[in-house]
Structure formats: C-alpha cells, structure tokens
Amino acid sequence: MFLSVVAKRQDSDITGYLKTARTTIDNVLPVPRDTIDSAEWSGKHAAILAWSNEGQDGERPPLLAATEHSALGVSGTIARPNDVQRLARTDLLGAEACGLAGCFSAIRTADWEVQAATSSTRALSVFHAETDDVHVVGTRALHVHLVAGRGEITWNNTALQTMIRQGYFLSDETPYAGVTALGPSSSIVIRGGRRTIESTPLPEAHPAPASPRARRAAITRLADALVAAVEPLRANPTPVNLALTGGRDSRLMAALLHAAKVPFRATTNGLDSHPDVILARQITALLRIDHNVIPPVQTERRDAVLIPHPSTRTFEVLRTCEGMTSAYESIVEYLPYSARPTMSGQSGEILRGGFLYSQGQTTDKAMRRRVNDFFLKNESLFTEEANEHARELATPWLRRAEKNPWEVLDHLYVTYRVGRWHAAARAGSLRRGDPFQPFLDNRVVVEALSLDQRWRHSEEVVYELIRRFAPGLHKIEVEGKPWRFLANQPPPRRWPWSRPAIPSQKPTPTKKPGNNWNWRTSPGPNLSTILRDFVLERTDALSPIVRAEELKAVFEAPSVSQPALAWNLYTVAAMLTGAFPGEAPSSLEPVRVEIPRP
C-alpha cells in the first residue's frame, strides 16, 4: 500500500501529516505488525510512503522504484516488468498506464508533484482527499482520511445509503467524508498545489460479427489476450491454485490454464452433495489435475453449520475492506503471505455482458427499470435525503439507458461491481498472496467490452473460448441454467421420418432439496434474531439514512426475508457506532445455523 502527501503552498508543512501516516498504520493495514516492511521517499514539498507484508525474497522488486528526483509505487501486477520503468520515466502517468497490460494502480511522487493512475477496472484502488494545506493520495481510503483529518474520523452518512441498499458503493464516494475514489482508467495530477483529474471512457462495443469467420477472428483476439495475461505464470516454480466451482467462469480459467500449459491444481469449498463439488470433480478428472475439496465446519450430527459471530465477522470485514463491502460477503481470511499464485472465476461476468448476465427480460423497459432499482432499491426504507442523493447518482446512468441500456448494464458492472465491490473485497486475498485475475487484465477488458453486448450476453463467447482452450470441457453441464445461446436455439427442422433430435445440451438434473443450501441466503431464526437485535438497538445511529418504522419491518419475520439487506444494515450500524477502528471483539461464541432437512 502507498500514500503520498504534497503541499499546496511553499510554506505548507507536511511533516505532521507524514507522522500521522506512520502512526495509524495498524488501523489500515490488516496484517500483523511484525510482517510489515516499509519504504519512504521525500522531497521538500512532497513524500511517498510504502508498506508491504510480502517480504523480501531477493527476486521481488523494491517497494519503491526511486531516483534522486522521484519515486514510483505500483500496486497489483504489470504483465511486463520493464513497463515499471516506463511509468517511472513518463511525463504523464495516466496516458502511459492506459496502454499497459496487467491489473494495477500506480502512484508517483516528485518534489511539488504527485501523479496516480488506475487501470480499466480500478480493481486496485486509488483514493484522494485534500485539506487547506495538502493533497493526500493513497491506496487505502481510511488511511487517506486519517492522514487528511490528523487521526479523526468523520463519516459520510449520505454516501452510506448505497452500502445499505447494495452492500457496496454505486459511486466514487467512500464511508469517509472528503475521500473520493479515482475512477476506472483515470489519472490524478497534482502540480504546484493544483489538482486535475482525467478519465478515458470504457470502450464502445462493435456490432456483432456477421459471419462465422468474423466471429472466429473476434474470439481469437480475446483468446490471445487471455493467454498473454497468464503467460507470466509459466515460469512460476509452484502450480497455480484455482478456486473451481461448477459454474462458467472458473471453468474458463481451468480451460485457459490448460491451454496455456500453466501447471495448476483446483480447490472447491462445499459438501460432497453440492453441485459445485460434483461438477468440479468431473472437470478436474477430464483435465487430469489434482483436486482438493474443503467441507464447511459442521456439528457432529451434521445437522447445522457453525459460523463466526456476526460481530466478529463484521469487524474483520470492516478492518479489511474499510467499510466498502458488507459482512454479508465472505472475504478471504488472513494467512501469512505466500508467493504461490491463486486464481478464481471472479468477475468473469465481464465476458458475459456485466450485469446483463443476470438480466432475465431484455426489453429496454425492463433494463431501464433494473438500472433504477440498482440505485433506489428498497426506497421506502430510506429517508428523503438518502433517496434524493440516490436519484442524483442514478440520473446520468438513466440518461444513458434511454439510448443504450445494454451498454449501461455492461459498464455499470465494470465501474461499480468490479471497481468498488470487487476492489474492496479483494483486499482480503491480497493480504495472503497475489491473486492472478486475467478477467481484469487491461487488454482483456478492452477486448471484451469491444464485443457486442448481446453476443456476450448469449454466453456463446465464453462457451467457444472453453471449447477452444480445452476440447470436451464444454460438454460437462454447468451449475444452474444451461448455456443461454443453446437454450434459446430453436430445434432444427426435421423430416417426419427422421429420428428424434438429440438435445444439444443435457437438461440440468433436479437437485434434492437442501443440496445447494447456503446459510447466508437462508439464515434461519437464530442468526436472524442476532442480526435483528443488534440493528434495532442502533436505530438512532442509522436515523440519518433509514426510517425507524420501516427498519422494524425489515426484521418482522422470525427468519429475515432479505438476508443481504439485514447484513448490510448490521455492517453500517457497527461502523457508525465505533466497532472499528478499535479492538476486535472477543469471547463471542460461533453461531449455529440449522441445515434444512430435505
């Protein structure tokens, strides 16, 4: 992580801000203090500070690429190591970063100057704030806020309305007053005390290819970008660990690693009866790779699961994700840092049309309604001020949706679901290693977003990639609904005397009740009571955002009907009442959640 401070005026003193940056590190870097290395570079009017728990193994580059006159910090992965020097030398950091492959952000500091840039998904975030004396730019929002406020926290109550609705931010806001996230493919330049921000729009999609030859060429360009993204892994001394499910996206990653000849093994979480485990075993058998299944913790009678107490879970999420994702989400727990690369199918929806992947009705009216619902979900729960703010955030997207709702649902996914939710949750995995994510590679994202949204929405693009990378893998059924473009195909015309047509894809077998049960979506009465009591006791703290009478209605049923909303409320209530920063809760027993009987 990096933080830079630059003075606004010649007589501004930055030393006090730098002292705050050093003394608050325990609250903002969620790893043990004895694992942290640091580095600094200072000029007369600006400085950049860096911290890491990666260790120094001799092969890893230094934390800061420093010269006498400047220093550069890169968070994430740049595909070609020599590109770091290009970023260190260029006059405009943002313009150079736009053309590089990888998933990264960068901050460069010289005397009287700071520049920072994000890649196309901003999965590695940059945040900025200012005071009367200085500009502060960094990769952790809370750190930027504490430095700008000299250790004090002021919450952005109005912005937290979207955290309750969605569990992440549908804007560039943060929980902290005055701290803003830099947008995707954006750069901030601060010179002589003045700040400018520039952004490159996400690519516009080309019309769908009209011929089989053109379709193959488009698939080839995307396939080449994916292979190039994982090529650096071939030289890794240990196999990649792939989190594999029965779905589409992690399957594509398995096929990609197979095609690129990158050694890997697979891990699946779940009970033996869960479809993810069943299908992952079929995939790994076909590819002939090692497969490890990790079952959830259960009681001896296997009639319930034990989960951490919500206060314990929430503290860890707040500490790791800085209040920018909900405790409803299961973030990766801390382990000592390992250089072994890991992968998953997370954010593969970019190749399937972003939010279009889960869009049932594709009429313009239905898609515009969904855009509105993103921003104004559960409208009756919120105060008028919160709803008015949500309408302001929705307005530019709704205007775009009047012209092209397909593009809006595609770009909303990259801008906010990846750029805010994924970026926040990713901090958990970054503590313990370098998750390698080809779906977020700059070149891959540009190639994917350039493909027609309707074509990607049909899932034919992902299907063809899997078939190309690992022939035979596409024949194994997928968890959930069948491939969309096959399900929607009309049956071929048959002569009356012909044999019955063979289905193009086997229907998904009916699962026994309880096989795909998940405690997060079915929390039961015991966990619901804990969530209810905690939130309702903190009604006053939530009153600037939600209406008290409607808040009670959320928890009327013995088992909450909207578990994600209940967890979102729990998370924000904990944040506003001082659960973090502070000491982790102790002596809280795990919570038992009953497994429904078939």
Side-chain angles (χ1 to χ4, degrees), residues 140-223:
R140 294 285 284 176
L142 177 58
H143 203 202
V144 169
H145 184 65
L146 290 173
V147 171
R150 297 294 186 94
E152 297 295 325
I153 292 181
T154 304
W155 300 109
N156 187 347
N157 282 330
T158 305
L160 287 170
Q161 56 86 24
T162 190
M163 265 294 298
I164 295 175
R165 292 184 210 264
Q166 290 290 353
Y168 59 94
F169 281 87
L170 292 172
S171 68
D172 294 338
E173 300 165 308
T174 70
Y176 314 106
V179 179
T180 303
L182 195 61
S185 293
S186 296
S187 63
I188 181 170
V189 178
I190 303 167
R191 283 177 173 155
R194 295 184 179 182
R195 182 184 69 194
T196 58
I197 296 175
E198 295 185 355
S199 299
T200 300
L202 293 174
E204 291 186 11
H206 304 305
S211 67
R213 182 177 180 179
R215 285 174 181 254
R216 287 194 298 271
I219 294 288
T220 296
R221 289 192 296 272
L222 181 53

Side-chain angles (χ1 to χ4, degrees), residues 94-116:
E96 191 70 41
C98 273
L100 301 185
C103 177
F104 63 93
S105 63
I107 300 178
R108 193 184 68 194
T109 305
D111 196 28
W112 205 239
E113 174 185 297
V114 171
Q115 294 192 50

Side-chain angles (χ1 to χ4, degrees), residues 5-57:
V5 179
V6 59
K8 282 186 171 181
R9 301 180 306 277
Q10 292 281 355
D11 60 349
S12 297
D13 185 5
I14 66 172
T15 56
Y17 295 97
L18 298 178
K19 181 179 179 181
T20 302
R22 299 183 192 102
T23 58
T24 56
I25 195 66
D26 287 339
N27 283 329
V28 295
L29 188 53
V31 299
R33 184 63 180 265
D34 60 5
T35 67
I36 299 174
D37 296 315
S38 62
E40 297 185 11
W41 179 93
S42 295
K44 187 176 180 181
H45 301 291
I48 182 170
L49 288 70
W51 297 265
S52 171
N53 72 321
E54 296 175 356
Q56 301 297 324
D57 58 9

Side-chain angles (χ1 to χ4, degrees), residues 200-275:
T200 300
L202 293 174
E204 291 186 11
H206 304 305
S211 67
R213 182 177 180 179
R215 285 174 181 254
R216 287 194 298 271
I219 294 288
T220 296
R221 289 192 296 272
L222 181 53
D224 289 347
L226 283 163
V227 171
V230 300
E231 278 181 346
L233 294 173
R234 288 178 187 161
N236 200 281
T238 57
V240 175
N241 185 66
L242 172 67
L244 182 64
T245 69
R248 295 150 171 78
D249 301 323
S250 64
R251 179 176 311 195
L252 174 55
M253 289 294 95
L256 171 61
L257 292 171
H258 173 79
K261 295 180 170 45
V262 174
F264 72 104
R265 60 190 292 274
T267 300
T268 305
N269 290 279
L271 300 170
D272 285 342
S273 59
H274 196 283

Side-chain angles (χ1 to χ4, degrees), residues 2 11 90 125 148 157 223 237 334 366 405 427 497 501 508 518 551 580 597:
F2 304 93
D11 60 349
T90 184
S125 302
N157 282 330
Y334 171 77
W497 56 82
T508 302
N518 187 306
L551 186 61
F580 177 80
R597 298 182 64 182

Side-chain angles (χ1 to χ4, degrees), residues 297-375:
V297 177
Q298 301 181 73
T299 58
E300 287 187 16
R301 293 175 57 190
R302 301 199 171 194
D303 57 353
V305 296
L306 297 175
I307 68 162
H309 190 281
S311 288
T312 302
R313 182 181 176 92
T314 299
F315 178 87
E316 183 60 19
V317 171
L318 290 175
R319 180 171 181 257
T320 305
C321 306
E322 305 184 281
M324 289 183 286
T325 191
S326 165
Y328 175 76
E329 306 296 343
S330 294
I331 65 167
V332 177
E333 65 182 8
Y334 171 77
L335 285 176
Y337 185 87
S338 169
R340 168 176 281 184
T342 60
M343 289 176 58
S344 71
Q346 194 172 46
S347 297
E349 292 86 359
I350 290 174
L351 273 60
R352 295 190 278 129
F355 280 126
L356 292 165
Y357 81 94
S358 59
Q359 180 66 26
Q361 297 182 352
T362 54
T363 63
D364 288 357
K365 181 179 179 181
M367 289 192 285
R368 286 194 293 268
R369 183 171 60 246
R370 185 167 182 206
V371 174
N372 186 76
D373 289 345
F374 270 123
F375 291 92

Side-chain angles (χ1 to χ4, degrees), residues 459-468 474-475 483 485-486 504-505:
E459 300 184 326
E460 184 180 7
V461 171
V462 171
Y463 181 88
E464 289 298 332
L465 286 168
I466 292 172
R467 185 162 71 169
R468 177 176 298 200
H474 64 291
K475 295 180 181 179
W483 294 101
F485 78 102
L486 291 178
S504 58
Q505 179 170 328

